[in-house]
RNA sequence: GAGGGUGUAGCGAAGCUGGUUAUCGCGACGGCCUGUCACGCCGUAGAUCGCGGGUUCGAGUCCCGUCACUCUCGCCA
């Protein structure tokens, strides 16, 4: 098709360009028809330029202008004019000029749009996903997709400059379920056999270490067949990294340096040289989660000792059963009244995490506790006030339960308070490391120990002799990177000793024959001089989401799936015809059709 | 597997304790308008109120079921 190709973009023209004859290609953003004069806001990736068709234009040009609608793709040619002073639009970077049109071509027309392409469309997510191609035209989406590009580019530059190689690993691999369900791909050539899509390049990158590629990274697509969430999709992208001859701190330091560089470059944001480190236990105990949002403090305080001195029997019963009591202080707020209704909403947040209730007491103007359970604290009023450093108008919230439930439920209360009282600084990026994770977790349902993280992580040396005798106590050489309350990376120093690896497998109820069958290729590789190594894998989607100030990773993925694992745009997953099934030696159960 | 929220015109929403003609904005269509920039003004069309059943003289509204979307718990190293 012959058409006039653009000589400039829609975000480019300035006052200096006045007098030039230009061609613009783009989409009709808005049209304003004043009878004798038409204005068109023409949009492309780079911006918006106002083009004008006056009544002195050729009649065919006026005719076409009158027929234009939103999102028609057009080409215009014209002369750049300065706008009269009173008509300058200071909101637009191109607002000092306009293009006086001498010819228009319609390159393609557009059906009535389901929603107007705008910076912040008010369309529901489902509608946006169904018409994703239109949604992606919005400046909001374009900005986020660019941010993602800039982020990945900065990572590649930084790591390449530090002698990392980017190496691709296969996405059709042996199924080695490690935790999540695998996506399986049936083999056509071998009836009954399947490839799996990788949950991560974990084993391949470890083998690359054996091969001597001592600094590796990959922008890797990973797949996990589990239910989606706001911050979780079936497929996602991670920066997969692995290094040889490193110890934990080497990995932490390079990540700190990497994100310092990237945040400076992409966001012009100065992250600290080193990130706060918290042990897993400390994080759980103080913030109630293993991914605390450190943009605000609001710590959980131990209340066991004072609970003993109280007259509240619930507290004493819980303590008697080996549980614990914790308290959090909600600071006085002008925005939110600590009404009965509000306290109930906090209690509901706590109950999601299995707390049986949420006790409370408010501090009155005389520094005395009142309401809620205050009558049981009368005798220790001053001790409680001093311990919690509570001020008039503050409210104390208590949970008494087993340690885990107390921490996680009060942790949820902490997050809700911070949100509701506006204690979160949205311009802040608070990184922290969580270290010293337990290596094993007991699975009650299956009746055996499992890797809390994954089975290739190194136990800390002081626990190696007592792995089998006391698995619950073993801390691993594991680390998570947390940003603003999201787990954004997870890694460990790996096991590179076959015997130690087999011991860990055995503790996880995988006997030698089975581990040889499932992970034999890794164990075999480890027979040939494996180097000590470790790595980490930051999640690209989540990090970009946080950098963009969004709460759903769908906002930073061009074509995401919805929470039902469906893509409303292409309607996947879909049925396939029987010939395809035959080739793959598959039969679908009748009742599933 | 479980819980909360939502479902009304192409899109986004209003619609109270059930009441007869279901409302508003955007968009679409027709007309007017030479300076707007979310242009403005006049007019028109467009809705099995997610679906199925029930209660009732009467259901968008109440009840039961079901489906879809969404957030969360479980799950996800």
């Amino acid at each position: 098709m012959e058409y006039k190709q653009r000589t400039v973009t829609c975000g480019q023209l300035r006052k200096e360009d006045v007098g030039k004859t230009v061609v613009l290609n783009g989409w009709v953003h808005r049209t304003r028809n004043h009878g004798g004069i038409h204005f068109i806001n023409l949009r492309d990736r780079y911006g918006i330029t106002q083009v004008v068709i006056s009544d002195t234009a050729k009649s065919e040009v006026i005719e076409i202008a009158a027929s234009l609608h939103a999102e028609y793709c057009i080409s215009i040619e014209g002369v750049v004019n300065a706008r009269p002073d009173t008509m300058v639009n200071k909101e637009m970077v191109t607002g000092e000029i306009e293009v006086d049109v001498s010819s228009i071509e319609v390159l393609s027309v557009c059906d009535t749009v389901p929603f107007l392409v705008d910076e912040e469309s008010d369309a529901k997510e489902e509608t946006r996903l169904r018409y994703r191609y239109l949604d992606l035209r919005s400046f909001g989406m374009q900005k986020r997709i660019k941010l993602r590009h800039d982020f990945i580019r900065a990572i590649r530059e930084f790591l390449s400059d530090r002698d990392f190689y980017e190496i691709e690993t296969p996405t059709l691999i042996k199924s080695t379920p490690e935790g999540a369900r695998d996506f399986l791909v049936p083999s056509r050539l071998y009836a009954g056999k399947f490839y799996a899509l990788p949950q991560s390049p974990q084993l391949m990158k470890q083998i690359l270490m054996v091969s001597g590629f001592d600094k590796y990274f990959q922008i890797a697509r990973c797949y996990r067949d589990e239910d989606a969430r706001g911050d979780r999709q079936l497929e996602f992208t991670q920066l997969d990294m692995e290094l040889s001859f490193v110890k934990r701190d080497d990995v932490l330091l390079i990540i700190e340096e990497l994100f310092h560089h990237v945040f400076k470059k992409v966001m012009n944001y100065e992250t600290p040289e080193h990130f706060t480190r918290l042990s897993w236990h400390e994080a759980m105990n103080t913030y109630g989660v293993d991914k605390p949002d450190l943009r605000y403090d609001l710590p959980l305080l131990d209340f066991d000792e004072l609970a003993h001195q109280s007259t509240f029997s619930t507290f004493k019963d819980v303590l008697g059963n080996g549980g614990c009591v914790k308290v959090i202080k909600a600071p006085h707020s002008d925005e939110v009244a600590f009404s009965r209704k509000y306290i109930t909403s906090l209690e509901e947040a706590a109950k999601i995490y299995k707390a049986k209730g949420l006790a409370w007491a408010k501090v009155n103007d005389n520094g005395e506790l009142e309401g809620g359970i205050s009558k049981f604290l009368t005798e220790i009023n001053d001790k409680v006030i001093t311990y919690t450093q509570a001020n008039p108008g503050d409210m104390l919230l208590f949970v008494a339960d087993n340690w885990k439930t107390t921490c996680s439920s009060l942790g949820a209360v902490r997050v809700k308070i911070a949100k509701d009282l506006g204690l979160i600084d949205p311009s802040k990026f608070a990184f922290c490391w969580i270290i010293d994770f337990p290596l094993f977790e007991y699975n009650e349902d299956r009746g055996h120990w499992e890797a809390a993280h994954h089975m290739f992580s190194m136990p800390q040396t002081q626990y190696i002799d007592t792995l089998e005798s006391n698995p619950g106590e073993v801390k691993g050489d594991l680390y998570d990177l947390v940003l603003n309350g999201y787990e954004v990376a997870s890694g460990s120093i790996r096991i590179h000793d076959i015997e130690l690896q087999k011991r860990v497998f055995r503790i996880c109820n995988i006997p030698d024959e089975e581990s040889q069958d499932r992970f034999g290729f890794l164990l075999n590789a480890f027979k040939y001089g494996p180097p000590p190594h470790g790595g980490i894998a930051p999640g690209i989607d989540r990090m970009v989401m946080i950098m963009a100030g969004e709460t759903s990773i769908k906002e930073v993925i061009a074509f995401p799936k919805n929470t039902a694992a469906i893509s409303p745009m292409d309607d996947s997953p879909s049925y396939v015809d029987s010939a395809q099934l035959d080739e793959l030696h598959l039969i679908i159960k009748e009742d599933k059709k």
Side-chain angles (χ1 to χ4, degrees):
Chain A
M1 174 182 152
E2 274 309 311
Y3 68 97
K4 283 185 179 144
Q5 282 181 284
R6 64 183 175 191
T7 57
V8 291
T9 70
C10 295
Q12 193 175 332
L13 295 171
R14 299 291 185 273
K15 214 167 183 174
E16 307 82 85
D17 300 301
V18 168
K20 289 182 187 164
T21 297
V22 296
V23 178
L24 290 167
N25 296 162
W27 287 269
V28 174
H29 188 64
R30 296 283 189 277
T31 60
R32 292 179 293 282
N33 177 356
H34 288 255
I37 185 166
H38 287 77
F39 297 100
I40 298 162
N41 283 0
L42 194 63
R43 188 197 67 240
D44 65 14
R45 204 182 106 182
Y46 307 90
I48 292 178
T49 295
Q50 171 165 286
V51 304
V52 188
I53 297 97
S54 60
D55 59 351
T56 56
K58 282 181 283 185
S59 63
E60 63 197 65
V61 172
I62 292 173
E63 204 174 301
I64 295 173
S67 73
L68 295 176
H69 286 282
E71 303 307 317
Y72 275 35
C73 186
I74 64 172
S75 173
I76 66 105
E77 185 172 35
V79 176
V80 182
N81 281 343
R83 296 199 201 180
D85 284 349
T86 51
M87 284 145 204
V88 166
N89 186 339
K90 295 200 173 73
E91 306 293 308
M92 297 169 75
V93 289
T94 59
E96 288 190 305
I97 55 92
E98 61 194 10
V99 175
D100 190 30
V101 175
S102 55
S103 73
I104 307 185
E105 288 173 83
V106 174
L107 305 180
S108 66
V109 298
C110 178
D111 281 0
T112 300
V113 289
F115 50 84
L116 283 178
V117 170
D118 219 325
E119 203 149 343
E120 284 314 321
S121 170
D122 55 0
K124 280 184 288 197
E125 186 167 272
E126 192 188 359
T127 313
R128 291 177 55 203
L129 291 184
R130 185 169 304 281
Y131 301 95
R132 192 57 158 180
Y133 31 82
L134 283 179
D135 188 43
L136 285 168
R137 285 184 190 170
S138 68
F139 283 119
M141 281 308 304
Q142 299 241 331
K143 207 167 104 188
R144 290 190 287 275
I145 296 297
K146 176 183 187 299
L147 174 66
R148 186 181 176 114
H149 164 79
D150 291 343
F151 181 69
I152 292 174
R153 176 180 171 161
I155 288 169
R156 283 201 161 106
E157 280 171 359
F158 177 91
L159 293 176
S160 303
D161 286 347
R162 275 167 183 68
D163 288 332
F164 282 76
Y165 287 172
E166 181 167 7
I167 306 173
E168 290 157 278
T169 54
T171 52
L172 293 173
I173 61 170
K174 181 182 169 75
S175 177
T176 55
E178 293 159 37
R181 271 181 219 101
D182 273 337
F183 273 101
L184 295 176
V185 179
S187 162
R188 171 180 60 84
L189 293 173
Y190 304 99
K193 292 191 174 182
F194 292 83
Y195 300 97
L197 303 180
Q199 295 182 28
S200 84
Q202 181 63 32
L203 301 181
M204 292 299 171
K205 72 173 170 180
Q206 290 194 244
I207 289 171
L208 284 171
M209 293 303 108
V210 177
S211 303
F213 294 105
D214 61 9
K215 290 177 184 174
Y216 143 92
F217 81 99
Q218 179 180 195
I219 307 296
R221 191 64 63 85
C222 306
Y223 305 84
R224 291 174 195 175
D225 189 5
E226 298 291 345
D227 290 354
R229 280 284 199 293
D231 62 352
R232 248 165 46 196
Q233 287 262 308
L234 297 181
E235 56 180 309
F236 59 96
T237 308
Q238 67 185 31
L239 164 60
D240 198 54
M241 292 169 67
E242 197 76 5
L243 302 90
S244 294
F245 312 119
V246 289
K247 297 194 171 171
R248 182 191 72 188
D249 286 4
D250 299 310
V251 179
L252 304 198
L253 288 177
I254 191 124
I255 289 289
E256 286 169 354
E257 219 185 317
L258 167 69
F259 288 130
H260 184 83
H261 168 85
V262 169
F263 272 67
K264 180 74 194 166
K265 180 143 193 176
V266 175
M267 308 288 292
N268 196 26
Y269 184 89
E270 198 84 31
T271 64
E273 196 181 342
H274 298 294
F275 303 157
T276 307
R277 293 184 190 185
L278 292 170
S279 74
W280 174 81
H281 188 270
E282 208 178 342
M284 289 300 294
N285 210 42
T286 312
Y287 302 105
V289 273
D290 57 5
K291 45 180 184 181
D293 190 342
L294 295 186
R295 287 176 296 175
Y296 52 92
D297 196 23
L298 285 186
L300 279 44
L301 301 172
D302 292 325
F303 201 72
D304 290 0
E305 213 167 295
L306 288 165
H308 272 299
Q309 298 171 39
S310 77
T311 54
F312 193 37
S313 58
T314 305
F315 283 177
K316 296 187 163 190
D317 292 348
V318 167
L319 291 172
N321 290 325
C324 74
V325 184
K326 283 181 180 291
V327 62
I328 188 168
K329 179 180 71 179
H332 161 78
S333 163
D334 295 329
E335 317 286 312
V336 179
F338 295 144
S339 59
R340 186 67 238 188
K341 192 178 164 193
Y342 183 64
I343 296 170
T344 303
S345 76
L346 293 177
E347 184 167 17
E348 278 162 10
K351 282 183 172 171
I352 293 172
Y353 290 85
K354 304 281 179 282
K356 289 171 200 75
L358 184 68
W360 58 277
K362 293 184 202 175
V363 184
N364 70 17
D365 290 341
N366 301 322
E368 289 157 358
L369 294 167
E370 65 177 30
I373 61 161
S374 60
K375 62 182 171 185
F376 303 108
L377 304 171
T378 319
E379 285 167 33
I380 53 170
N381 186 83
D382 292 353
K383 286 184 187 170
V384 174
I385 297 288
T386 308
Y387 179 63
T388 57
Q389 297 179 6
N391 294 308
D394 293 353
M395 178 166 62
L396 301 178
L397 297 147
F398 307 81
V399 171
D401 213 300
N402 65 57
W403 179 74
K404 207 181 157 199
T405 301
T406 302
C407 291
S408 54
S409 56
L410 209 50
V413 171
R414 172 179 178 266
V415 171
K416 183 163 165 56
I417 290 172
K419 276 186 190 150
D420 294 344
L421 305 193
L423 305 179
I424 304 173
D425 177 356
S427 69
K428 214 167 162 182
F429 296 102
F431 281 101
C432 74
W433 290 109
I434 309 298
I435 55 176
D436 298 335
F437 280 82
L439 194 61
F440 300 107
E441 243 171 26
Y442 194 74
N443 186 319
E444 300 283 350
D445 297 337
R446 298 188 191 127
H448 60 78
W449 290 93
E450 287 184 346
H453 191 84
H454 65 51
M455 290 183 291
F456 312 103
S457 297
M458 183 76 99
Q460 294 182 7
T461 31
Q462 66 269 33
Y463 299 100
I464 286 184
D465 292 338
T466 55
L467 279 190
E468 288 81 0
S469 55
N470 203 352
E473 289 300 306
V474 178
K475 299 281 192 293
D477 233 341
L478 291 155
Y479 33 86
D480 275 7
L481 182 64
V482 173
L483 172 58
N484 293 1
Y486 290 92
E487 180 198 312
V488 293
S490 191
S492 64
I493 297 301
R494 325 295 184 189
I495 297 168
H496 65 282
D497 176 82
I498 298 180
E499 280 316 309
L500 183 57
Q501 183 67 71
K502 284 184 179 170
R503 283 171 67 196
V504 168
F505 284 147
R506 282 180 219 126
I507 292 168
C508 297
N509 202 34
I510 301 176
D512 289 0
E513 314 80 67
E514 192 184 332
S515 60
Q516 190 60 39
D517 185 47
R518 281 170 65 182
F519 306 108
F521 61 106
L522 179 71
L523 296 173
N524 288 342
F526 279 179
K527 290 177 188 166
Y528 298 93
H533 61 283
I536 188 162
I540 301 275
D541 312 281
R542 272 187 203 172
M543 291 203 69
V544 178
M545 169 189 92
I546 295 165
M547 292 163 82
E550 294 292 336
T551 54
S552 165
I553 56 171
K554 296 180 201 129
E555 295 297 341
V556 299
I557 298 172
F559 302 104
K561 297 192 176 41
N562 66 17
T563 46
I566 289 165
S567 166
M569 188 179 76
D570 64 15
D571 232 12
S572 64
S574 60
Y575 292 111
V576 296
D577 64 43
S578 54
Q580 274 178 293
L581 290 175
D582 283 347
E583 270 191 337
L584 297 171
H585 323 284
L586 294 178
I587 296 168
I588 307 297
K589 282 189 188 169
E590 279 303 321
D591 61 333
K592 299 289 180 193
K593 277 187 184 169

